[in-house]
Amino acid sequence: MPRTPSSPKAPGKAAQAFAAPASAGGARSLLAVVAASALGCAVSSAIFLHRVSAGFELHYSDSRLPMLVEADGYHHLFRSQELLAGNAAWLQEPALSALGAILALASRLPLELVAFWLPVGLAAACGLWFWGWGKLLGAPTAQAALAAFAGGLIPAWFQRACPGWYDTDPGIAFLWHGSLFATACLGLAPGRPGLRPALLLAACALGLGWWWRPGFLALPLCLMLWGATFAFAEDRLWRGLRLATGMALVLGGALFLLLPVAWLPQTLAAHQVYVRAHAATALGASRDLVFLSIAELVPMSATEILRDLGGNVAAGVLALCATLLLLWRRPRPGAYLLPSLLVLGLAFFAQRLLFFAALPMALGLGLLPGLLPLPRRCAALAWTVSLGLVASLLFWHATHPLKFYFQAPQDRLALTLKRVAPPEAKVWNWWDDGYFLAARSGHAPLFHGGSQSPRATFIAAHPLASDNPLLARRWIRFFALRGAGALAPLRKAWGDDPPIWQRLDSIFSAQDPQKAMARLTPPATGPGWLFPEGRVFLYLPQRFLTLSRWWMTLGGSPEPDARTLRAHIDTFERTSFRYVPGQGVVDLPEAVLRKGYKALGGVFLTSRTPLAPPWGGGQPGPYAVASDLSPWLYIVDEQALRSVAFRLLAPSGERLPGFAPVLTNYAYGGLWEVLP
């Protein structure tokens, strides 16, 4: 006889049970599930840190404390530092930054250590929601605990809540899943909803709006879901009230999004503009090429989605099937898991929110033994499948490639900047290094993770993609020292952006800029406005060269064409490269050959012969560039070969005029002072 899966407690009774005071057995169950969640986070973190210690310098060079693993985390670290130093107002700073500073004060631990481990703590706290969903879905404690353990291992979630991910994502997930769980408790109540779930929804939804600006949509979305499931209510009055609430919110939301801005009050109009812009960016609907360079907005393929949810494609398919089975066997509570699971569809446009789907996927994996109608003697088979899926997640943790933007050598560059640059000095950098430099050097750069507009990105990239060092250093000094007000006087004299860029290129490239300016209408501020005094430093990590498809394209034109987007520089390890000058012997590493590079226009050992015109020796590229001073082999086209950024980082074998080296490490990057 086939075994009938254990009949779950009726959803309405489960919701009422949650609203009632917890029993001793319920407390033990809660502790067991939260402990399983913490264990999953601990196991994944331990594997991660073991692999990091074996091959990376992921520690600050002045304290040996662990470094953060992503760029935006340094923004929150910097704001936490400012709070602790008394240079910022507590209520005006991001919630995460304030929480980190409070925990550092309360625990008397270094802020860097708190920032490193806080995301893991928030991830482990999600065990509370696994316990709650286990109750609503009628799952035994063992199955809910297995789901919580697996939740700490799912790649899409771990990548956003691993040690060192001092960003808003772990808190977003905690508050989002708390909001949906509270909505489920309200929606499954047969009549009047309980007070405790209502307070929980208010706390989580409003807290999400405080934690993350787009989170202000959580409360209306949850109330729409509560209204959409009006049929679950047994009381006629509450069924009608829920239906009316849902319809009113849908109509109000449609009017909010569709009405012209001029018809809305100023506050609502500002929110509408923000929501539309954020949605266009998150869904990849923006036509601005700069947004395609943001990693979290990159679309994912179906195989990438399955791998990030299951560890590999096959396991991802099985885990997804288990989750769909859960929704089919538990349709009423499962309806409140759908919003998190449907984020899978958004990942085809941008990967930003895929981690929302980790909780329902983990529940499907953990609760699978109670969902399959197997004979009792075959019950162990379902547990074997679930444990096999957990094993695939562990295998992913042990084998997936690790990559870090910031390590101890970059930290040494930032601390050198802090030491040599006076407080009033300005810093030029690519935008994704801005927050790191602010936190570690104390100098707030012009470009950072919040400044990715097309105009700002062109300004940042143009001098680095240029082949003219004179233009590059004058451009950098002008925009760095004049700051946000640099363009206002030029617009009054020269009009819109295109003529401004053309005239700046002409003036900054001229050997005699005064003579070049005499042919143009000078800005009202006088010719000296274009050549300010002050100290400016340029920070470039070696990683910048791997982004050549972006900065060469975005810096080449203020209106870049996506069709021209291509890699101009490929970077490889130089270990198996061999070149014998005069004999024409060139042995390329296997990785170079796999990329399709066979015929080269030239080979340059810049430690012997500096890069200089004629570029490429008159032969068409691509070219191989290597140096005894660098561990890297570059395959580069002529356009990038001539660029200022490549000639600084290659190394080119000669110093560029106007760029005085402060500290260079050709394995990791360099710091230069940009001279007048």
Side-chain angles (χ1 to χ4, degrees), residues 95-302:
L96 174 60
S97 304
L99 177 60
I102 290 170
L103 291 176
L105 284 173
S107 65
R108 298 186 180 181
L109 293 172
L111 173 63
E112 292 82 359
L113 199 60
V114 171
F116 188 78
W117 286 110
L118 179 57
V120 181
L122 290 172
C126 287
L128 175 64
W129 312 132
F130 281 102
W131 171 79
W133 278 109
K135 299 284 284 184
L136 291 182
L137 294 165
T141 300
Q143 294 176 13
L146 178 60
F149 178 78
L153 301 176
I154 290 180
W157 175 226
F158 178 78
Q159 290 169 343
R160 296 280 175 173
C162 64
W165 194 276
Y166 190 49
D167 205 349
T168 53
D169 299 328
I172 290 171
F174 180 83
L175 295 169
W176 167 255
H177 291 309
S179 299
L180 286 183
F181 172 69
T183 305
C185 292
L186 293 172
L188 295 174
R192 180 179 179 178
L195 177 61
R196 288 170 61 183
L199 293 176
L200 178 62
L201 173 60
C204 289
L206 296 177
L208 183 55
W210 173 57
W211 184 270
W212 180 50
R213 188 177 175 187
F216 75 90
L217 295 172
L219 185 58
L221 288 175
C222 287
L223 291 176
M224 284 183 195
L225 180 60
W226 180 68
T229 55
F230 69 94
F232 295 171
E234 298 174 6
D235 184 281
R236 181 178 298 178
L237 173 64
W238 281 99
R239 190 183 303 131
L241 180 61
R242 288 170 64 168
L243 177 60
T245 301
M247 293 180 64
L249 284 169
V250 169
L251 179 60
L255 292 174
F256 168 72
L257 291 174
L258 299 177
L259 283 177
V261 173
W263 293 13
L264 295 173
Q266 185 174 359
T267 303
L268 286 179
H271 278 84
Q272 187 205 63
V273 171
Y274 174 81
V275 169
R276 284 181 169 181
H278 194 83
T281 301
L283 295 175
S286 174
R287 296 183 178 180
D288 293 325
L289 188 60
V290 61
F291 294 119
L292 295 178
S293 69
I294 302 174
E296 64 185 22
L297 300 181
V298 174
M300 301 181 74
S301 66

Side-chain angles (χ1 to χ4, degrees), residues 372-458:
L372 291 175
L374 296 174
R376 291 187 182 277
R377 62 179 179 275
C378 298
L381 177 61
W383 281 99
T384 302
V385 173
S386 289
L387 294 175
L389 293 175
V390 170
S392 77
L393 295 174
L394 290 170
F395 183 77
W396 178 89
H397 280 275
T399 58
H400 80 282
L402 297 177
K403 181 174 66 176
F404 301 105
Y405 287 170
F406 310 106
Q407 297 186 58
Q410 287 92 349
D411 189 58
R412 284 191 283 270
L413 290 173
L415 293 182
T416 300
L417 175 64
K418 181 178 183 178
R419 187 179 69 253
V420 303
E424 69 278 5
K426 304 300 180 182
V427 181
W428 197 270
N429 60 285
W430 189 237
W431 62 264
D432 51 2
D433 300 298
Y435 291 147
F436 167 72
L437 290 174
R440 295 302 293 162
S441 74
H443 292 274
L446 191 60
F447 309 107
H448 50 73
S451 66
Q452 306 104 304
S453 68
R455 179 187 293 121
T457 305
F458 172 72

Side-chain angles (χ1 to χ4, degrees), residues 570-573 576-578 586-600 603 622 624 633-635:
D570 269 327
T571 305
F572 305 90
E573 292 186 5
S576 59
F577 170 72
R578 188 169 71 95
V586 181
D587 289 335
L588 295 175
E590 184 64 29
V592 177
L593 298 176
R594 283 199 302 267
K595 289 291 289 277
Y597 294 112
K598 293 181 174 61
L600 299 175
V603 178
L633 168 68
Y634 306 100
I635 306 297

